Amino acid sequence: MSNFDLLSRFSQYLDPHLMLKLLEFVHSQKIFDEKQILRGKLELIKKTKMVDYAKNLHDKMYPSQDLTKSFQEERENVLEHLEILESRVENISKLMNLPEVINQIETVRDGSHLYEYLVTRHGISENITEDMYNYAKYQFECGNYEFTSQYLYFVSTLLPTNDKLYLNSLWGILASEILLENFDTALEELNRLREYIDNNASFWPALQTLQQRTWFVHWSLFVFFKHRDGLDLVIDLLLYQPPYLNTVQTVCPHILRYLTTAVIINKSRRRSVLKDLVKVIQQESYSYRDPITEFIECLYVNFDFDGAQHKLLECESVLCYDFFLSNLVNEFIENARLLIFEIFCRIHECISINMLSQKLNMTPDAAEQWIVNLIRHARLDAKIDSKLGHVVMGTKAVSPYQQVIEKTKNLNSRSHFLALNIHKKLGLKIPESSTQWGQDYY
């Protein structure tokens, strides 16, 4: 399935530490040659300060080469530089543990007041925030993510939002929380970063804004596909937020794989958003296609059930080898079969179980049991004629009330963005409740 591997595309938009997670997953799946993966991991680690990790990998790859002395010298250099950076922030580090300062941090919401308090009452230097940022970033490069997250949060509190390091601090906190797998906190930081990027988008060059949003979209997948509300958040961000949808269409159409998967699996919203998804997939089919997007095309554009059946088999392989989607394989296959069945039922009143089992890539007995479960859980109005081996569909018209609900489900978000566009065109101040996002990644 290397034809559909997205590692090379993701590598352009991820921090080396995040990219390592993807390489470790690929290594465990044995998709590529082991030496090739180890070589890639070693190249990434060379961009960090994780010397011990690099030595272990090097020993695996080149057991006959003894570079212990070289790695020991590098390790000593890293520790020496870390001590230098630590000495520059020694005073502020002690202050952060004082009850009086802790109380100020918790009660004072304005970072400038807190900064003024620390300068006037405790005599910290005025360029201390830059030293603190450099120390936190070096700790991050050494793999100390928990320390980095806590320290950078304090740095971001002290910095004015127009400082060049403020945005980098937000990226650093987000990366640390993702690597620590604190996904609730990571989602909060993701929203904070997005708000900052959106609020500043009108002041940045268009290319910089597009770059920030591209990074944001890729980093967000680490959070969305691990968070309990992630499927809804993926749909809301990538399908119904025009700036992000434009980013996907312009720079990274491969992200459609994740949007499509989220829609297929999301039972509560699937019916109302499928039409919009199909439209986007058709628009971008010239720039990106894989079995997951082609499955939707076969089913909702071409009504090609044989093609959908073939693509569903390929989807399973693609999902198994995708870092973000590998734990959703069974859920995806179940819901994809249901989509095939729903479309088939709209066209036919009486369906042969044998024929249906072929379309769903199941045995006749398994297909019959699957349909029985659908009927039992009131998800299907039908009867099974076991003698003839047929499924006889019931006729149930959708009420006008239900049709109105389905048509207006996304009216609120669309109206919101229409109002924002009107505000922009009239030169009015955008309400603070609007969502927005950033710059140079951490």
Side-chain angles (χ1 to χ4, degrees), residues 378-395:
R379 292 163 66 191
L380 178 66
D381 181 16
K383 295 179 181 179
I384 294 180
D385 187 333
S386 296
K387 285 185 178 180
L388 297 175
H390 288 167
V391 180
V392 181
M393 305 305 302
T395 55

Side-chain angles (χ1 to χ4, degrees), residues 130-147:
E130 186 172 351
D131 291 335
M132 292 174 70
Y133 171 82
N134 290 333
Y135 179 51
K137 189 169 191 312
Y138 206 81
Q139 287 279 8
F140 179 85
E141 296 302 341
C142 293
N144 193 350
Y145 306 128
E146 188 167 1
F147 176 88

Side-chain angles (χ1 to χ4, degrees), residues 6-61:
L6 299 177
L7 274 179
S8 59
R9 301 197 191 198
F10 271 87
S11 64
Q12 303 172 58
Y13 310 110
L14 296 181
D15 181 273
H17 295 256
L18 294 177
M19 195 63 202
L20 271 173
K21 290 181 73 71
L22 270 63
L23 281 181
E24 285 168 1
F25 171 79
V26 170
H27 190 191
S28 68
Q29 297 297 309
K30 297 179 169 55
I31 305 172
F32 301 105
D33 177 68
E34 184 178 14
K35 286 188 177 179
Q36 184 182 357
I37 295 297
L38 289 174
R39 194 177 297 113
K41 289 170 72 173
L42 190 57
E43 287 300 316
L44 276 176
I45 291 170
K46 284 180 180 177
K47 299 177 182 178
T48 73
K49 304 301 178 185
M50 296 189 288
V51 182
D52 293 340
Y53 192 177
K55 182 182 182 303
N56 290 337
L57 275 179
H58 184 275
D59 291 345
K60 275 185 183 180
M61 283 190 66

Side-chain angles (χ1 to χ4, degrees), residues 2 69 76 79 132 142 204 234 256 258 265 292 387:
S2 58
K69 185 177 180 182
E76 289 173 1
L79 292 174
M132 292 174 70
C142 293
W204 293 338
V234 169
L256 288 176
Y258 305 98
I265 292 176
I292 296 172
K387 285 185 178 180

Side-chain angles (χ1 to χ4, degrees), residues 56-238:
N56 290 337
L57 275 179
H58 184 275
D59 291 345
K60 275 185 183 180
M61 283 190 66
Y62 311 105
S64 60
Q65 294 182 13
D66 185 8
L67 296 181
T68 304
K69 185 177 180 182
S70 174
F71 279 112
Q72 185 61 33
E73 289 176 356
E74 188 176 349
R75 192 175 192 275
E76 289 173 1
N77 290 336
V78 168
L79 292 174
E80 182 181 344
H81 190 63
L82 195 60
E83 286 180 9
I84 293 171
L85 292 174
E86 188 175 10
S87 66
R88 294 175 183 172
V89 297
E90 185 177 358
N91 291 337
I92 189 69
S93 296
K94 290 178 181 177
L95 287 175
M96 287 169 64
N97 294 317
L98 293 177
E100 179 188 354
V101 175
I102 292 173
N103 182 58
Q104 285 289 324
I105 294 171
E106 291 174 350
T107 56
V108 177
R109 295 193 174 185
D110 189 339
S112 61
H113 289 165
L114 179 60
Y115 184 69
E116 185 179 347
Y117 163 80
L118 291 172
V119 171
T120 56
R121 294 288 298 274
H122 295 281
I124 66 167
S125 63
E126 294 190 358
N127 65 340
I128 191 65
T129 50
E130 186 172 351
D131 291 335
M132 292 174 70
Y133 171 82
N134 290 333
Y135 179 51
K137 189 169 191 312
Y138 206 81
Q139 287 279 8
F140 179 85
E141 296 302 341
C142 293
N144 193 350
Y145 306 128
E146 188 167 1
F147 176 88
T148 302
S149 176
Q150 296 171 356
Y151 215 75
L152 280 181
Y153 186 82
F154 184 57
V155 172
S156 68
T157 303
L158 292 177
L159 286 170
T161 56
N162 62 350
D163 191 283
K164 63 180 181 180
L165 297 178
Y166 181 81
L167 179 57
N168 288 351
S169 297
L170 297 185
W171 281 108
I173 297 169
L174 175 59
S176 300
E177 295 299 342
I178 289 172
L179 291 162
L180 290 167
E181 298 187 356
N182 297 331
F183 295 112
D184 286 332
T185 307
L187 180 60
E188 293 175 9
E189 294 305 322
L190 195 69
N191 289 332
R192 186 155 73 118
L193 176 60
R194 176 183 161 192
E195 183 179 0
Y196 184 84
I197 294 172
D198 286 345
N199 282 333
N200 288 276
S202 58
F203 304 108
W204 293 338
L207 184 60
Q208 182 182 348
T209 302
L210 183 63
Q211 184 185 53
Q212 290 296 308
R213 286 177 170 157
T214 304
W215 286 331
F216 182 90
V217 166
H218 286 81
W219 290 39
S220 71
L221 298 181
F222 285 93
V223 181
F224 290 156
F225 283 99
K226 294 294 184 181
H227 196 275
R228 59 185 172 275
D229 299 323
L231 296 181
D232 283 327
L233 296 171
V234 169
I235 294 169
D236 290 336
L237 178 72
L238 302 180

Side-chain angles (χ1 to χ4, degrees), residues 263-403:
V263 170
I264 289 174
I265 292 176
N266 195 320
K267 297 174 184 177
S268 61
R269 296 183 62 186
R270 181 170 60 214
R271 188 182 296 274
S272 62
V273 303
L274 260 171
K275 185 178 178 181
D276 296 322
L277 174 67
V278 171
K279 189 187 301 181
V280 174
I281 288 175
Q282 281 187 276
Q283 289 173 349
E284 300 307 316
S285 61
Y286 72 95
S287 60
Y288 179 77
R289 306 181 83 167
D290 68 19
I292 296 172
T293 61
E294 288 177 326
F295 171 77
I296 291 293
E297 276 191 292
C298 287
L299 205 53
Y300 288 94
V301 179
N302 304 323
F303 297 99
D304 178 1
F305 294 101
D306 291 331
Q309 172 198 357
H310 177 68
K311 292 301 173 185
L312 186 55
L313 285 171
E314 292 184 3
C315 285
E316 188 170 358
S317 299
V318 172
L319 292 164
C320 284
Y321 295 121
D322 190 292
F323 172 83
F324 301 103
L325 308 177
S326 59
N327 62 333
L328 300 172
V329 178
N330 293 334
E331 200 173 349
F332 179 92
I333 298 301
E334 172 70 15
N335 284 280
R337 283 174 175 162
L338 189 57
L339 288 179
I340 294 174
F341 189 61
E342 285 177 354
I343 298 294
F344 216 73
C345 291
R346 289 182 199 173
I347 301 171
H348 303 89
E349 292 182 2
C350 183
I351 307 169
S352 164
I353 292 177
N354 284 332
M355 180 179 67
L356 189 61
S357 66
Q358 294 174 10
K359 303 297 181 190
L360 300 176
N361 296 320
M362 303 170 78
T363 64
D365 290 341
E368 183 173 351
Q369 184 60 47
W370 185 73
I371 295 166
V372 167
N373 289 334
L374 288 179
I375 296 171
R376 184 179 296 158
H377 294 102
R379 292 163 66 191
L380 178 66
D381 181 16
K383 295 179 181 179
I384 294 180
D385 187 333
S386 296
K387 285 185 178 180
L388 297 175
H390 288 167
V391 180
V392 181
M393 305 305 302
T395 55
K396 185 177 179 182
V398 180
S399 69
Y401 175 72
Q402 187 61 35
Q403 290 181 40

